[in-house]
Amino acid sequence: QRVLGTEHLETMSTIMNIASTLGGQSKHRESESLLRELLKVQTRVLGTEHPDTLLTSFNLCAALLEQHKFGEAESRCREVLAGRRRVLGAEHPQTMMTQQMLSYLIKAQ
């Protein structure tokens, strides 16, 4: 961040990798915090429907799910699903994975 800046693609990719690692270590609160900050930057720089922004939002859904924040996770997941359907199409594996997560969230509540 110090060298390239927060809006550089490599910086955003690195933050995503750190957030994913934290999630893998069950540090979901820390992962959530990083993902929220990254999402703000990506939305500003890339737009809400860029595949990377949608991926970050999807990963935020997973972090929220792990913390049993089902309401917010479901709402965000619905947004990601709509965006992925528009950008990637209904048959794309990432779209289908989002649909699966949404189904799980609905059942979990």
Side-chain angles (χ1 to χ4, degrees), residues 28 57-67 73 101:
H28 303 294
S57 196
F58 178 81
N59 288 343
L60 179 55
C61 291
L64 293 168
L65 170 64
E66 290 294 337
Q67 297 174 78
M101 179 183 276

Side-chain angles (χ1 to χ4, degrees), residues 39 52-62 76 79-80:
L39 194 56
D52 289 350
T53 307
L54 291 169
L55 177 60
T56 299
S57 196
F58 178 81
N59 288 343
L60 179 55
C61 291
R76 184 167 300 278
E79 292 173 11
V80 173

Side-chain angles (χ1 to χ4, degrees), residues 46-88:
L46 303 174
T48 57
E49 293 198 344
H50 188 281
D52 289 350
T53 307
L54 291 169
L55 177 60
T56 299
S57 196
F58 178 81
N59 288 343
L60 179 55
C61 291
L64 293 168
L65 170 64
E66 290 294 337
Q67 297 174 78
H68 300 125
K69 297 178 179 179
F70 298 121
E72 184 181 356
E74 180 184 342
S75 174
R76 184 167 300 278
C77 194
R78 287 183 186 279
E79 292 173 11
V80 173
L81 181 59
R84 283 184 164 174
R85 281 181 176 154
R86 282 190 297 275
V87 174
L88 304 174

Side-chain angles (χ1 to χ4, degrees), residues 3 6 16 38 40 53 67-68 73 86 107:
V3 175
T6 58
M16 173 63 86
L38 177 58
K40 288 178 191 176
T53 307
Q67 297 174 78
H68 300 125
R86 282 190 297 275
K107 288 178 187 177

